[in-house]
Amino acid sequence: MTMGLSPRRHATGAAALAASLGLLLSGCSGEEGGSGGDLSAPGPEVLENLDAPVEVEFWHSMDATNGQVLDGLIEDFNAQNEGRIEVTGSFQGDYDTALANHRAAIQQGETAELVMVFDLGTQFMIDTGQTVPAQEFLDADGYDTSSIEGALLNYFTVDGQLRSFPFNNSTPLMYVNRDAFEEAGLDPDAPPATLAEIREAAERLTVRDDDGNVVRYGFGASVYGWFIEQFMARAGVPYCDGANGRSARATEVLFDDPKVVETVEWWKDMIEDGLAVQIGRNTADGQAAFTSGRAAMTLESTGSLGGFIEQSDFEVGAGYFPLVEEGDPGGSIIGGASLWINGEGHTEQEVRASWEFVQFLLTPESQSVWHAGTGYLAVNTEGYEGEEARARAEEFPQFAVAADQLADSRIDENTAGCMMGVMSEARAAAEEGWETALTSDTPAAEAMSAAADGLDTSIEEYNASVE
């Protein structure tokens, strides 16, 4: 049983979706691009004296084991609210597909009451003006967020307001083959912390046969744009201008920063020197290289930890995502998705019922079940003390690394992540520049600059559609 594997974006759909978002927004009116309806948070009194249960349709991207765990939580909530609220979960495909479906639903005026949208869709969701800001519910109910993970609140807070509710979130880690480390005389409890240290360890971990062919590489990971964002956050540099789009709407991406160029050059040298296996952009290939023993170290989401443990014939270790170089501040970017409550076109009862369900999902009890069953972070940090989470941590102490990394992360605009309407397209562009540098004679600085410059038109068109 594979646990905690996050839905990935499909590059073929990401660019097409990003290119079409402006068409939807240009047809909207209202303060933030929506139709200008009442987007306030109703109080609990609207659920009194109901003639029938309030129906809440919940669009999400959780399938397989993750979907089963989510279905169990929905069933528990419905049982506790029988005759009052009835939540129906509806799988909408991967993150890109789900957002495309929601975009179509907005055009048709038939949105679900509650939608799960991945992190890259945050600016778009704000610009549509269809949802009730999460902050409205917090303020109306005096909801205490002190136990909610600070790094997650930081990411989804824009202009001082929490815009959506973090839920299925993760962060990337360094994974190591503990058996290989011990065989090479390395300490698996102290995995490499910088790129230089990874290379040093890879020189000892790489194994060749008598003919000089590599049997096991020291390192191997996919060319995944999320990792670029992570390296930049840990180096304390912004991904886009306007303080990562937090103080002003972003007008350009900055992933041609010297820190990124240094990382791409390091990556290419590792491949050329036979210390790292060349993976490409398919994340499944990167995961397979590690679980098969082909690469002794890799980078992947915390959501992959459960699968790594179950699919590997060796003991899996985990450490913090590496720094570009020693002395970097060491922030951490989150991934995954958050929950948005649609207000436009929905009754006060439906809006309030959706909030009641979200509150249930954020309880320590629900978060304990969610974290233990999927490997996603416990949004409510008290969830780690739950029976299910503690049993999971006792069996697999590697799960604690992700929580520790977030707890140690700096909270600022760089770790908040770039807020931009075409983030899906930006991530794909970063991957294209990165891969070009790895597979051609194009210098890393030139490849990354060309990729960044190539986004200018898309950013300008998107911004023009919402200004």
Side-chain angles (χ1 to χ4, degrees):
M1 180 174 65
T2 301
M3 302 177 63
L5 297 179
S6 306
R8 299 294 193 187
R9 54 89 190 109
H10 294 286
T12 54
L17 173 62
S20 65
L21 294 182
L23 296 178
L24 169 61
L25 293 174
S26 63
C28 297
S29 60
E31 185 176 353
E32 291 187 302
S35 56
D38 180 16
L39 298 180
S40 61
E45 67 278 357
V46 300
L47 296 181
E48 296 175 358
N49 303 317
L50 297 172
D51 295 328
V54 179
E55 296 184 2
V56 172
E57 187 174 9
F58 175 27
W59 283 13
H60 63 80
S61 295
M62 299 290 99
D63 62 354
T65 301
N66 294 347
Q68 294 171 13
V69 176
L70 182 57
D71 286 343
L73 290 172
I74 292 174
E75 290 174 5
D76 290 345
F77 176 81
N78 286 341
Q80 295 176 24
N81 291 272
E82 187 174 0
R84 181 169 173 263
I85 302 172
E86 181 73 21
V87 176
T88 302
S90 177
F91 175 68
Q92 295 294 309
D94 63 36
Y95 287 145
D96 279 316
T97 303
L99 184 56
N101 291 345
H102 178 60
R103 174 172 53 88
I106 294 175
Q107 293 173 317
Q108 297 162 6
E110 298 177 352
T111 59
E113 283 73 24
L114 181 67
V115 293
M116 174 186 291
V117 176
F118 69 151
D119 53 336
L120 303 190
T122 301
Q123 184 64 61
F124 167 72
M125 290 297 290
I126 294 173
D127 289 336
T128 62
Q130 296 281 316
T131 62
V132 181
Q135 193 69 45
E136 293 285 330
F137 297 99
L138 304 185
D139 293 344
D141 283 21
Y143 186 86
D144 182 11
T145 61
S146 61
S147 62
I148 305 300
E149 174 59 58
L152 301 179
L153 293 176
N154 184 43
Y155 190 97
F156 296 108
T157 295
V158 182
D159 295 331
Q161 279 198 330
L162 184 68
R163 301 310 299 248
S164 59
F165 300 99
F167 177 60
N168 49 307
N169 300 110
S170 59
T171 186
L173 297 174
M174 159 80 77
Y175 291 100
V176 302
N177 180 331
R178 291 182 62 91
D179 296 357
F181 263 61
E182 291 173 354
E183 174 189 310
L186 298 169
D187 183 2
D189 292 320
T194 65
L195 297 184
E197 291 179 8
I198 292 176
R199 182 182 177 91
E200 183 179 345
E203 291 172 348
R204 298 172 63 174
L205 290 163
T206 300
V207 176
R208 294 177 170 83
D209 61 20
D210 294 338
D211 296 326
N213 299 313
V214 177
V215 177
R216 183 184 68 212
Y217 290 89
F219 177 79
S222 59
V223 176
Y224 185 21
W226 187 33
F227 297 156
I228 292 290
E229 296 159 43
Q230 189 73 12
F231 279 119
M232 296 182 76
R234 293 185 69 69
V237 296
Y239 186 89
C240 58
D241 65 345
N244 254 348
R246 302 287 172 157
S247 63
R249 191 172 287 275
T251 61
E252 63 176 340
V253 291
L254 307 173
F255 53 62
D256 54 352
D257 184 89
K259 286 284 187 178
V260 177
V261 172
E262 180 182 347
T263 300
V264 173
E265 289 175 340
W266 171 89
W267 207 286
K268 185 170 186 176
D269 289 343
M270 288 281 288
I271 293 172
E272 291 180 345
D273 294 343
L275 300 175
V277 58
Q278 183 158 310
I279 301 293
R281 295 166 66 179
N282 189 325
T283 54
D285 291 343
Q287 295 165 1
F290 180 70
T291 57
S292 68
R294 182 71 167 159
M297 294 180 286
T298 194
L299 306 176
E300 248 302 346
S301 165
T302 52
S304 296
L305 177 53
F308 279 173
I309 292 172
E310 293 171 8
Q311 297 166 16
S312 303
D313 293 331
F314 51 84
E315 188 175 356
V316 175
Y320 286 9
F321 193 92
L323 304 173
V324 177
E325 56 189 352
E326 188 175 358
D328 285 348
S332 186
I333 286 278
I334 61 98
S338 61
L339 307 180
W340 299 76
I341 297 176
N342 279 307
E344 192 67 34
H346 295 278
T347 67
E348 289 184 327
Q349 289 76 19
E350 290 168 343
V351 171
R352 181 68 200 191
S354 299
W355 168 227
E356 294 287 331
F357 176 56
V358 170
Q359 289 183 81
F360 169 81
L361 293 178
L362 297 183
T363 61
E365 295 77 14
S366 294
Q367 285 296 300
S368 176
V369 171
W370 180 246
H371 168 69
T374 66
Y376 280 112
L377 297 163
V379 171
N380 187 326
T381 56
E382 293 178 1
Y384 293 119
E385 300 303 317
E387 179 181 352
E388 300 84 0
R390 292 178 68 172
R392 186 70 171 164
E394 185 175 345
E395 183 179 6
F396 301 112
Q398 303 97 321
F399 276 93
V401 177
D404 292 343
Q405 178 173 274
L406 271 184
D408 291 342
S409 176
R410 291 181 58 171
I411 304 296
D412 56 26
E413 66 272 11
N414 295 321
T415 57
C418 173
M419 194 60 52
M420 186 170 60
V422 294
M423 271 301 296
S424 289
E425 192 172 357
R427 183 173 286 180
E431 292 175 353
E432 290 167 4
W434 185 1
E435 192 168 46
T436 296
L438 297 184
T439 59
S440 72
D441 293 331
T442 306
E446 181 180 331
M448 298 310 295
S449 291
D453 292 343
L455 275 174
D456 288 348
T457 299
S458 295
I459 297 172
E460 289 173 6
E461 290 177 348
Y462 181 91
N463 289 346
S465 72
V466 296
E467 286 175 350

